[in-house]
Amino acid sequence: ALCIPSLNEGVLRERHDNGGMHIELIDAHHPNASQVLSQVHPFLASLDRYYPDISSWFARSFSTGLANGKNVLLAARAGDGGLAGVALGKKTGDEVKMQCVRVADPLGNAGLGIVLMDRMMQELECEKPLATVSEEMLHQYSRVFVKRYGFSLDDVVKGAYRPRKLEYYFNGTKD
């Protein structure tokens, strides 16, 4: 991944107005981190059809990386305290990756995903992190990745996460 410190060093506002709904972005080191983690785990379960065992991966691997400072979690919370969206990232010496962006169905196409991606790239200190997308979700992400962020499609891998299914790699390759 090509990582260039963002030219816009301004801090993203912690609140985003989304149709009258207040959404707060919270990182995993927030005092309510355990509550947020317990909400994120089932929130990601619907992605299991694209990424088998994402729930176990989140509970084991991601949570461990979060504890040792290698992973980043952003959680957008609605005014009622419910989870509106999440972004997961990884920043190690070998890899800088935007691992997941997920927005609650009722808020789809309202701009929250963009807010989460913008903030995640700030947290990762990288304008072009590695990002992968399943073939079924390519139409949701490819336009914003290319048009808004200037990401490049560098690889397409069959069977990366599921047999006979394509995974699209932006800003890097599988290797």
Side-chain angles (χ1 to χ4, degrees), residues 142-169:
S142 61
R143 184 174 181 167
V144 73
F145 278 4
V146 174
K147 298 277 187 186
R148 180 180 175 94
Y149 297 116
F151 286 12
S152 62
L153 176 60
D154 294 331
D155 205 358
V156 180
V157 177
K158 191 173 192 175
Y161 293 102
R162 297 171 297 150
R164 300 177 308 281
K165 295 293 186 178
L166 300 177
E167 190 74 13
Y168 292 83
Y169 286 71

Side-chain angles (χ1 to χ4, degrees), residues 37 40-63 86-88 97-102 132 134 137 141 161-162 167:
L37 285 170
V40 171
H41 191 245
F43 190 75
L44 296 177
S46 66
L47 297 176
D48 196 59
R49 64 183 168 214
Y50 308 118
Y51 300 100
D53 299 322
I54 192 169
S55 293
S56 344
W57 166 83
F58 179 78
R60 287 186 330 256
S61 182
F62 186 84
S63 296
V86 298
L88 311 178
K97 183 177 183 183
M98 188 163 23
Q99 295 172 302
C100 179
V101 176
R102 169 97 169 82
T132 69
S134 69
M137 299 182 81
Y141 289 94
Y161 293 102
R162 297 171 297 150
E167 190 74 13

Side-chain angles (χ1 to χ4, degrees), residues 1 3 57 61-62 65-66 68-73 87-100 120-121 123-126 129-131 161:
C3 294
W57 166 83
S61 182
F62 186 84
L66 194 62
N68 66 28
K70 293 180 180 179
N71 289 344
V72 177
L73 168 65
L88 311 178
K90 179 179 183 179
K91 185 177 181 181
T92 66
D94 299 332
E95 184 177 44
V96 178
K97 183 177 183 183
M98 188 163 23
Q99 295 172 302
C100 179
M120 181 55 71
M121 286 185 269
E123 295 296 328
L124 295 174
E125 299 178 66
C126 187
L130 175 64
Y161 293 102

